[in-house]
Amino acid sequence: MTNKIWGGRFKSQTDPRAAEFNSSLPFDHVLYRYDIMGSKVHAAMLAKQGLLEKDEADAIVVALAEIEDEIDRGLHEFKDEYEDIHMLIEQILVKKIGNPGKKLHTGRSRNDQVALDLRLYARDMSVKILELLGELCDTFATLSKKHQNDIMPGYTHLQQAQPITLGEYFGAYLCMIQRDMSRMEDWRKRMNFSPLGAGALAGSSLPLDRKFTAQELGFSDVIKNTVDAVSDRDYLMELCGVISIIMVHLSRLSEDLIIWATQEVSFITLDDAFATGSSLMPNKKNPDVLELIRGKSGRVFGHLMSSLTIMKALPLAYNKDMQEGSECLFGVVNTVLSCLTVMIPFVNSIVFNTERMKTIASSGYLNATRILEELVLKGVPFRDAHHRVGSYIAEAMEKGCTLEDIVRLHEYTQSQ
Ligand code: ARG
C-alpha cells in the first residue's frame, strides 16, 4: 500500500517524475474556491440523505471554510504529491478533522468533481467578463454619441471609400460587443447544468439527491445522462469559441488604432499613461498595449484549437487528456479579462484629432459615390453615372483639382 489516497492496490510509491507529470496543481489550484463550494453542498446532501451524521457534515463544512481562508492567505503549498486540487483539499480536511473528512468523497468521483468545479469556475468568470463587456459597450456608446457629427474617411481594402462619422465607427464596435454579450448569455443558459452525482461515469448505488445539489449550486437542472456529465467539455470548447470572437473584435480595433496612431495618419494621439517609449530611440511613443491585445488574440485562438483537438478522439467517458483542456479554459478566461481590463481605460484615454479626420475625408474622392447617386436621382442610369463620375475622377487627377471642381465645370458647360 502506498501513501496515495488511491494507494490500496499499489505496492510501490509513485516515481517523482510521474507525480510531477501527472500533477495538475500548478494550474488547477485556481479551482479551490469552487471545489470547496461543491464539497460543502455535497456534504449537506449526504447528511440530508442519511449518508453522514449531521454533526459530521457540520464539521466538514466548518473545516472547508477554514481551508478556503487558509488557501486565500497562501498558507498551503501546492505540492505535486497531492496530484490535484481535489486531493489536496481532501487531505488537508482529513488532517484537520479525521474520520468525517474521510467520508466526504462518499458517492463522488474526481470525474464529476472536476466537471463540477470547471463549470462553477467558468460560470463565475463569465459574470466578470460580461461586466467588463458591459463597460466596454458603455464606452463605445458614449463615443458614438459624442462623435456623431465628426466626419472621418471610411475605408474598404484600407483604401479611402466613403465618408462616415467617428460615431458610426464606434457604433459598429458597440454592435459587435453587444452580440458577444448575447452569445455569452446563450452559452450560460446551455452550460448551467450540474454533473455532480454522476460519479466516475455510472452514478451511484447510494441514494444521492442530485437535484438538491444542482439547486443549491444555482444550476437549472442536473445533467441527466451520467456518462455525458463526466465526458462533456462542449461548454469549455464553446466558451473558448465565444471568447475567441471577442478577441477578434478587440484585435481588429487594436489594429485600426495602431494605424490611426502612426505619424502618417495621426487620427489619434495616445495618452502617455497608456503608451511606452523605446530603450534606444528617444523619439518613440509606442502602442504596446494594443499590440499585446492583438498578439494575445493569437494565443486565445490557440487554446480554442487545443481544446477541440484534445477532445476529438477521446473514447467515452473520462480520460486524463481532459485535464489538459482545463488549461485552455484558464488561459482564455485570464487573457480576455486582462485585455478588457486595459482596453476600456485605453479607449477612454485616446485623444481624437477630429479636425484632421475631417480634412482627410474631404481631400480625396470620397464623395464620388454621393455624386454618382445625385446623377441617378436626376435619371441617369446607374452604370452610365458610374462611368461618368469615374471619368470625372480621372480628369480631376490629371488637372490636380477636386472632383467637385470637375462636376461644376461639366454642369457649367452643359448649361451653356
Ligand atoms: N485532475 C483531474 C482532472 O483535472 C481530476 C480528475 C481525475 N480523475 C481520474 N480518474 N484520474 O481531470
Side-chain angles (χ1 to χ4, degrees):
M1 200 163 86
T2 76
N3 59 1
K4 282 276 189 286
I5 264 186
W6 37 251
R9 64 161 294 173
F10 286 79
K11 298 213 164 52
S12 57
Q13 302 295 344
T14 313
D15 185 289
R17 289 162 293 191
E20 187 189 346
F21 191 69
N22 280 329
S23 175
S24 50
L25 261 170
F27 52 89
D28 74 5
H29 64 263
V30 300
L31 294 175
Y32 73 91
R33 213 176 288 291
Y34 308 98
D35 196 74
I36 288 174
M37 195 186 291
S39 288
K40 282 179 176 171
V41 171
H42 182 65
M45 182 277 291
L46 292 176
K48 185 179 90 61
Q49 300 300 97
L51 295 163
L52 268 186
E53 296 301 327
K54 167 103 177 58
D55 58 340
E56 289 175 322
D58 290 346
I60 290 174
V61 169
V62 170
L64 284 172
E66 276 172 29
I67 296 170
E68 182 171 356
D69 180 58
E70 288 160 10
I71 300 180
D72 279 345
R73 290 190 288 134
L75 300 182
H76 292 287
E77 242 188 283
F78 301 128
K79 288 197 202 129
D80 290 338
E81 67 198 60
Y82 293 114
E83 208 172 302
D84 56 30
I85 190 63
H86 324 294
M87 306 254 259
L88 173 72
I89 293 173
E90 188 178 332
Q91 285 175 69
I92 304 172
L93 181 72
V94 173
K95 258 188 226 144
K96 259 186 198 292
I97 60 169
N99 271 340
K102 290 190 195 162
K103 294 186 181 177
L104 173 63
H105 212 51
T106 308
R108 194 171 66 169
S109 154
R110 275 184 297 156
N111 298 354
D112 60 344
Q113 194 175 355
V114 70
L116 173 73
D117 294 3
L118 290 171
R119 274 180 199 256
L120 290 174
Y121 166 89
R123 192 181 69 184
D124 197 22
M125 292 299 140
S126 71
V127 175
K128 291 193 182 168
I129 298 170
L130 277 167
E131 264 168 31
L132 287 169
L133 289 173
E135 273 182 52
L136 189 59
C137 281
D138 292 345
T139 302
F140 290 152
T142 307
L143 288 172
S144 167
K145 190 146 193 278
K146 181 171 169 198
H147 296 291
Q148 59 186 334
N149 297 318
D150 290 328
I151 303 289
M152 68 172 290
Y155 299 85
T156 62
H157 312 269
L158 205 55
Q159 297 286 319
Q160 292 181 348
Q162 287 178 282
I164 57 169
T165 65
L166 184 55
E168 277 171 322
Y169 180 90
F170 280 110
Y173 273 101
L174 175 60
C175 296
M176 291 181 234
I177 302 296
Q178 281 171 338
R179 282 196 299 275
D180 290 336
M181 292 181 73
S182 101
R183 250 186 298 274
M184 184 79 87
E185 297 287 5
D186 285 349
W187 169 86
R188 280 171 58 82
K189 280 183 224 136
R190 217 170 1 261
M191 65 82 67
N192 198 26
F193 292 85
S194 173
L196 192 58
L201 78 165
S204 173
S205 60
L206 299 169
L208 306 179
D209 186 345
R210 295 191 62 202
K211 291 240 179 224
F212 172 82
T213 47
Q215 206 168 13
E216 290 293 297
L217 291 165
F219 289 107
S220 322
D221 203 347
V222 300
I223 300 173
K224 294 205 171 58
N225 183 307
T226 57
V227 178
D228 180 39
V230 292
S231 307
D232 169 34
R233 294 292 184 273
D234 302 6
Y235 69 92
L236 188 155
M237 298 181 269
E238 190 179 354
L239 184 61
C240 288
V242 169
I243 293 179
S244 289
I245 298 175
I246 297 172
M247 290 304 300
V248 169
H249 293 153
L250 298 185
S251 180
R252 286 189 79 176
L253 175 61
S254 298
E255 174 73 5
D256 265 339
L257 296 176
I258 289 167
I259 294 171
W260 292 4
T262 58
Q263 284 70 26
E264 288 75 7
V265 176
S266 288
F267 283 176
I268 57 173
T269 306
L270 301 179
D271 191 321
D272 282 1
F274 286 95
T276 42
S278 155
S279 60
L280 174 66
M281 300 166 282
N283 54 319
K284 291 304 295 286
K285 185 171 170 189
N286 296 328
D288 286 23
V289 166
L290 300 171
E291 294 164 64
L292 278 174
I293 292 174
R294 195 175 54 183
K296 282 175 192 291
S297 67
R299 288 208 307 158
V300 167
F301 309 156
H303 287 309
L304 168 63
M305 199 45 68
S306 304
S307 69
L308 297 169
T309 315
I310 288 164
M311 294 304 295
K312 82 172 177 61
L314 296 189
L316 292 184
Y318 178 85
N319 298 268
K320 187 78 166 218
D321 315 41
M322 287 149 90
Q323 180 171 288
E324 292 291 306
S326 306
E327 283 196 87
C328 303
L329 174 64
F330 305 144
V332 297
V333 164
N334 290 337
T335 308
V336 76
L337 284 174
S338 70
C339 290
L340 288 168
T341 302
V342 71
M343 186 55 123
I344 296 162
F346 187 99
V347 172
N348 279 320
S349 76
I350 294 172
V351 174
F352 293 95
N353 306 327
T354 49
E355 277 310 309
R356 175 160 171 85
M357 290 182 178
K358 193 168 157 191
T359 309
I360 301 287
S362 39
S363 61
Y365 304 107
L366 286 94
N367 284 338
T369 309
R370 191 179 49 71
I371 291 170
L372 180 163
E373 283 167 357
E374 277 166 15
L375 289 176
V376 166
L377 285 177
K378 285 183 191 154
V380 183
F382 178 84
R383 278 291 155 227
D384 294 342
H386 192 291
H387 203 80
R388 197 188 300 176
V389 177
S391 70
Y392 289 173
I393 290 172
E395 197 176 334
M397 286 168 78
E398 235 169 69
K399 296 188 171 143
C401 57
T402 69
L403 180 56
E404 283 79 357
D405 290 338
I406 302 296
V407 172
R408 269 192 295 275
L409 181 72
H410 284 272
E411 274 171 2
Y412 178 76
T413 346
Q414 273 161 23
S415 66
Q416 293 307 295

